[in-house]
Amino acid sequence: MKIVIIGGTGLIGSKTADRLRKQGHEVIAAAPNTGVNTITGEGLAEALAGASVVMDLANSPSFEDKAVLEFFETSGRNLAAAEKTAGVKHHIALSIIGVDRLPESGYMRAKVAQEKIIRDSGIPYTIVHSTQFMEFLSGIAQSGTVGDTVRLSPAYVQPIASDDVADNMTVVANSAAINGIVEISGPERVRLNELVARYLKAMGDSRKVVADPEARYFGARLEDGSLVSDGNPRLGRITFEQWFATSARK
């Protein structure tokens, strides 16, 4: 079948596209740099013509509160309208475990708004809620860095490798819409500050990580259960050590 991946040239999009092509699907990697823009609408109708599945893996170029909300709302509405015209049978979106538990975060509020547009569109859908990607550990460390100290919340995380995310997105693309949420998570639950400390030590980075319950994550204060799921999520297979050995320095 024809599958359009919005954000198809990004980290998860490119890996998912490769997997689906190997299965024999016609895959369009849609992104501004391939002539498809969900904000302006450029190339959108042409890309979606004849598509059975649309997978939205795009991310906002800005994380500023107003800009990120405008991105996800505009993109979501434009996609829904184009999908109705094209007769798309399944809309799939990648979102975040805990997205509805962190209203202090402008980014999380924007993702909640995106999910509402999807639910209200009338198009059959599946929303995949994922834990944080291991590939984001460097950025998380940087966000908490002042001088040689990294202040991070000791809340629990259960990070997942991008290859495991792509495997799960591929399964969902080959499945019927559930008009609900699928949760995916990494195999190991660990405190955020401890995980980043392990990452920095393995990288030979001398910064000191300090546990600070008041440290913000995308603008929100975390509780122990904010970013993890106890709802039997689908677990990835790749541990932090396995990911680090094969992917961390790429």
Side-chain angles (χ1 to χ4, degrees):
M1 58 187 167
K2 180 178 177 180
I3 301 172
V4 177
I5 302 180
I6 307 297
T9 60
L11 174 65
I12 306 301
S14 58
K15 291 185 176 189
T16 304
D18 286 346
R19 286 160 170 75
L20 290 168
R21 287 190 183 112
K22 287 176 181 176
Q23 293 178 346
H25 297 295
E26 176 190 355
V27 180
I28 304 297
N33 61 3
T34 66
V36 182
N37 191 316
T38 58
I39 300 300
T40 66
E42 177 193 0
L44 193 54
E46 294 83 358
L48 266 56
S52 298
V53 176
V54 172
M55 185 178 292
D56 187 2
L57 305 179
N59 207 354
S60 173
S62 169
F63 281 16
E64 187 274 325
D65 286 2
K66 183 172 182 288
V68 73
L69 180 62
E70 288 179 351
F71 175 87
F72 282 118
E73 287 189 331
T74 302
S75 179
R77 290 182 184 127
N78 287 344
L79 262 179
E83 288 174 18
K84 285 181 182 178
T85 300
V88 170
K89 298 177 176 62
H90 190 183
H91 177 93
I92 302 166
L94 181 60
S95 192
I96 306 163
I97 283 180
V99 67
D100 55 346
R101 296 195 287 263
L102 298 172
E104 291 177 285
S105 166
Y107 186 85
M108 298 296 189
R109 292 196 301 271
K111 293 295 286 185
V112 168
Q114 178 195 29
E115 292 187 18
K116 184 177 188 304
I117 290 169
I118 293 167
R119 290 194 302 271
D120 293 346
S121 70
I123 298 165
Y125 71 90
T126 303
I127 297 172
V128 179
H129 277 185
S130 174
T131 51
Q132 290 60 45
F133 305 160
M134 292 185 192
E135 285 80 0
F136 290 171
L137 286 174
S138 176
I140 291 170
Q142 191 57 40
S143 72
T145 296
V146 176
D148 294 326
T149 301
V150 184
R151 293 189 176 276
L152 292 173
S153 170
Y156 284 110
V157 291
Q158 202 159 333
I160 187 168
S162 61
D163 281 320
D164 279 334
V165 178
D167 285 344
N168 276 283
M169 298 310 292
T170 301
V171 170
V172 173
N174 284 289
S175 304
I178 65 168
N179 294 321
I181 293 169
V182 170
E183 292 187 328
I184 64 174
S185 179
E188 178 188 12
R189 184 169 294 193
V190 63
R191 294 191 181 277
L192 179 61
N193 63 299
E194 294 173 359
L195 178 65
V196 172
R198 279 163 60 187
Y199 170 76
L200 293 179
K201 181 179 180 181
M203 290 293 289
D205 190 316
S206 62
R207 281 178 288 175
K208 179 184 178 182
V209 179
V210 175
D212 181 356
E214 299 303 321
R216 292 309 200 246
Y217 181 86
F218 287 103
R221 185 187 188 278
L222 300 179
E223 303 294 340
D224 266 358
S226 295
L227 296 175
V228 292
S229 171
D230 292 320
N232 296 314
R234 300 177 184 179
L235 295 182
R237 58 189 169 78
I238 301 171
T239 65
F240 170 79
E241 284 76 18
Q242 290 169 331
W243 168 78
F244 190 88
T246 59
S247 304
R249 296 181 186 275
K250 287 185 179 179

